[in-house]
Amino acid sequence: MISKKQYIIMFSFAITLGITGGFFDLPFGAVVTVITASVLLIAMIPYMYYMYHATDSHKVEQFLSARTRQPILGFYWALGQGDPLLVKDQLNKVLRKYKSPAHQAIFLLAEAAQRKDVRSAASHLLQVKQSQVREYYQVHLLLEEGRLEEAAERADSMSKEWMKESILGRLHSLSGDVEASRRHYREAAQCCKGVQRYLLEGLFESEHTIKGIHTPNNR
């Protein structure tokens, strides 16, 4: 969904380019191409920023909450809110729209992880094509089975720092070391930007309040 401000900017930019092209007698095709490319760029900049580069999770939350009609963005928003019923409702919308088993597996596992019950979705693990994501949820499964030492060894070999730190945060929480758990959760969130940071903060809030980092209830 494009904001009113973006519409105004795109309209003004298109009019300006059109007038400029007419004044300098530029080829019509070239002007249309430049206008189209510029409009697409203006439309995509906020999306790319909030999805992958923003560090203010409150603003990411606002971005997502304004786009809940888009199933995937609505699902991300719900995960960060931490309400299981809300997450389930948004998950159903995703599953209705996206029928690919590999695509659905990611969202089913994310919803199960939010409930700390990856076992309920373990049958979908082999459908996950991204090896790093598959391993991340496999280690979560080890934690649920109480195989903490094996989970710790697997976490140390993960190439994505946020995955490693979030696993260690959960591991220390299960073993009763609250301070170590909080430290690893904080590191996991600070490794990320955009929606991933928002999700980590929201998912971990149920176990700890991460000092110095915005969480859904204090944004």
Side-chain angles (χ1 to χ4, degrees):
M1 185 175 68
I2 300 175
S3 68
K4 181 178 179 180
K5 183 177 180 180
Q6 285 176 278
Y7 274 121
I8 294 173
I9 293 174
M10 288 189 292
F11 182 76
S12 301
F13 198 72
I15 292 297
T16 301
L17 283 177
I19 293 173
T20 302
F23 182 80
F24 289 102
D25 198 25
L26 299 176
F28 179 75
V31 174
V32 170
T33 300
V34 171
I35 291 175
T36 302
S38 300
V39 166
L40 289 174
L41 182 62
I42 293 170
M44 289 300 296
I45 284 176
Y47 180 88
M48 298 299 293
Y49 174 73
Y50 287 115
M51 289 295 291
Y52 304 110
H53 300 290
T55 56
D56 187 333
S57 291
H58 175 62
K59 291 184 178 179
V60 174
E61 179 185 22
Q62 291 179 325
F63 171 80
L64 294 175
S65 65
R67 293 162 174 80
T68 55
R69 292 185 179 180
Q70 300 177 40
I72 291 178
L73 298 186
F75 178 74
Y76 290 154
W77 170 74
L79 273 183
Q81 299 303 299
D83 183 337
L85 294 178
L86 188 61
V87 174
K88 189 67 174 179
D89 179 61
Q90 293 294 331
L91 173 64
N92 289 335
K93 293 178 182 179
V94 172
L95 299 181
R96 284 196 296 268
K97 183 169 183 178
Y98 301 97
K99 303 298 184 180
S100 165
H103 205 145
Q104 290 187 347
I106 297 293
F107 298 101
L108 287 164
L109 286 163
E111 187 270 339
Q114 193 253 2
R115 293 185 286 104
K116 298 179 177 61
D117 187 18
V118 173
R119 282 177 291 187
S120 66
S123 61
H124 299 284
L125 279 169
L126 295 179
Q127 295 171 332
V128 178
K129 294 181 179 180
Q130 303 95 320
S131 60
Q132 293 175 327
V133 176
R134 184 170 60 249
E135 183 178 16
Y136 177 69
Y137 288 115
Q138 286 173 336
V139 178
H140 268 288
L141 188 58
L142 292 177
L143 292 175
E144 291 179 8
E145 294 172 348
R147 298 155 65 181
L148 304 188
E149 291 186 7
E150 186 177 349
E153 292 177 1
R154 293 275 294 274
D156 283 336
S157 66
M158 289 183 170
S159 59
K160 287 187 178 293
E161 195 68 17
W162 72 264
M163 290 184 175
K164 171 184 174 181
E165 293 296 336
S166 64
I167 290 292
L168 293 176
R170 177 65 177 150
L171 185 154
H172 285 293
S173 178
L174 290 171
S175 62
D177 191 338
V178 176
E179 289 305 315
S181 177
R182 183 179 291 114
R183 183 176 66 252
H184 284 294
Y185 277 152
R186 183 183 296 112
E187 287 296 325
Q190 291 179 341
C191 285
C192 303
K193 295 180 180 180
V195 170
Q196 188 61 62
R197 184 182 179 112
Y198 163 77
L199 291 177
L200 286 170
E201 293 175 10
L203 290 172
F204 301 154
E205 187 194 33
S206 61
E207 292 191 41
H208 301 287
T209 298
I210 309 177
K211 296 181 180 178
I213 300 177
H214 292 295
T215 52
N217 288 342
N218 64 17
R219 289 177 191 152

